[in-house]
Amino acid sequence: MVSVKRFIHDEPALFKASKAFVALLFRCADPIVYVACKLPDRNAQIAWTLLGSALFQDRTYPDILRLLTKLYERFPGDKLWTLPVPKASEIEEVVEQTFNSRNWSVFEHVAGIFWSVGLFVRRHLDLVAWVRERSPEELWNDLGDIYFMGRSNPRPKACATIYRLLAPQPLGLGLECRDSSKMPSLPLTMGARRFLAILGPAKEFNFSELEPQEKQKLANEYFTALAPENPYFAAHSLQFFLENGSNGFICRELTENCSRCPLYEYCNYAEVHSR
């Protein structure tokens, strides 16, 4: 089994650079939260965070940002959750116009996700109170009612949703829930998976062959080591690692084409230039 403690002991310089990478990127806005925070009230912000989290699959971060923006332009205010619900063809038209294609693994489910989030909001009309009165575990259980949010472990979309609701801005909406010592698993994004496999404790192992529980345990331990004050900072920052953005990798865009990246000396994907 991969040992985080051994990795930190054996690779102190790489670990230090990784901490610096987290510190540099942790305030970068999440695309779903970025759109949600533009909405007029807390209830709408929460509702659209739920929708964006359920839709976020097999698309780039800029794609999801554009889709949420276009959906809100077409169905503004409380149109997400009030009756009558939009027709499936109307919702699908927004997706097709945004992506210039129907070629998306989630396309046939988008209307169902939209309606499901709307139904969830109608059941919990005061979403701020819904968050405030529940523990993270209870939030996790409730989110299973939303189509495509997942129903069994590890339910990464549900975990990511909770952190988007609770984390401080611009990472999240900065909401409060009932105190609990038990938090859901930290989001294990594709960017974080790449990081663990390429520059993290799994770089000498085949990360893809680990069992899901082992992957999550490794991620939780390393995120905690990288950002002990708040491990979600590490999970949030690492989602941008080698993740496609509008013009190349997002981490390149955020580090001036790698010139400011603390991991420049270690990353084989860094743009070659004199520093």
Side-chain angles (χ1 to χ4, degrees):
M1 179 60 185
V2 182
S3 170
V4 169
K5 289 183 179 180
R6 174 57 64 87
F7 174 77
I8 294 172
H9 178 270
D10 293 345
E11 299 275 7
L14 175 54
F15 177 67
K16 181 178 179 180
S18 299
K19 288 185 64 118
F21 181 87
V22 168
L24 182 64
L25 271 63
F26 89 93
R27 289 191 178 278
C28 296
D30 177 276
I32 293 170
V33 174
Y34 177 80
V35 174
C37 284
K38 293 180 176 294
L39 306 187
D41 61 72
R42 281 304 216 187
N43 222 52
Q45 291 174 3
I46 297 170
W48 283 81
T49 297
L50 301 181
L51 178 64
S53 297
L55 288 174
F56 202 166
Q57 181 173 323
D58 298 335
R59 279 288 173 178
T60 67
Y61 288 59
D63 282 347
I64 292 298
L65 189 152
R66 287 190 296 117
L67 177 59
L68 281 183
T69 301
K70 293 297 184 182
L71 283 170
Y72 186 76
E73 289 173 355
R74 181 69 175 272
F75 309 109
D78 57 3
K79 297 296 184 182
L80 171 57
W81 63 87
T82 53
L83 298 174
V85 301
K87 296 178 181 178
S89 59
E90 295 174 326
I91 298 170
E92 291 171 352
E93 182 182 34
V94 177
V95 179
E96 187 171 8
Q97 289 176 349
T98 302
F99 298 150
N100 295 316
S101 171
R102 292 179 168 234
N103 186 23
W104 180 27
S105 62
V106 182
F107 183 82
E108 294 182 354
H109 306 282
V110 171
I113 294 170
F114 191 100
W115 296 331
S116 179
V117 171
L119 176 60
F120 185 90
V121 177
R122 291 194 295 275
R123 289 174 174 170
H124 307 277
L125 279 176
D126 187 344
L127 291 175
V128 176
W130 167 68
V131 175
R132 183 180 62 244
E133 294 167 2
R134 282 161 173 77
S135 68
E137 188 173 13
E138 289 168 336
L139 292 172
W140 188 87
N141 288 330
D142 285 352
L143 289 171
D145 292 338
I146 296 177
Y147 182 48
F148 252 63
M149 192 68 81
R151 287 187 174 276
S152 58
N153 280 326
R155 288 177 57 195
K157 287 184 180 180
C159 294
T161 302
I162 292 170
Y163 283 100
R164 287 186 178 111
L165 296 175
L166 303 182
Q169 293 183 356
L171 284 69
L173 299 182
L175 299 170
E176 294 184 357
C177 67
R178 282 204 296 111
D179 288 339
S180 173
S181 59
K182 186 175 182 180
M183 289 292 291
S185 298
L186 289 162
L188 184 50
T189 60
M190 290 306 299
R193 290 169 186 266
R194 290 187 206 99
F195 188 90
L196 291 168
I198 297 172
L199 296 175
K203 72 187 190 76
E204 301 298 333
F205 301 84
N206 193 334
F207 182 74
S208 64
E209 292 184 357
L210 295 176
E211 293 295 323
Q213 297 86 347
E214 293 179 310
K215 292 177 182 178
Q216 190 65 62
K217 183 175 184 294
L218 176 65
N220 288 345
E221 289 181 4
Y222 200 51
F223 295 161
T224 300
L226 289 171
E229 70 282 10
N230 188 336
Y232 181 62
F233 292 171
H236 176 82
S237 297
L238 297 184
Q239 70 180 312
F240 303 117
F241 180 69
L242 303 184
E243 186 68 34
N244 287 326
S246 301
N247 186 25
F249 295 138
I250 294 176
C251 56
R252 284 181 180 172
E253 297 172 2
L254 296 174
T255 59
E256 297 178 9
N257 295 323
C258 307
S259 64
R260 294 176 55 238
C261 184
L263 294 165
Y264 181 83
E265 306 296 337
Y266 304 96
C267 181
N268 291 332
Y269 294 86
E271 286 195 354
V272 178
H273 49 71
S274 58
R275 300 186 78 192

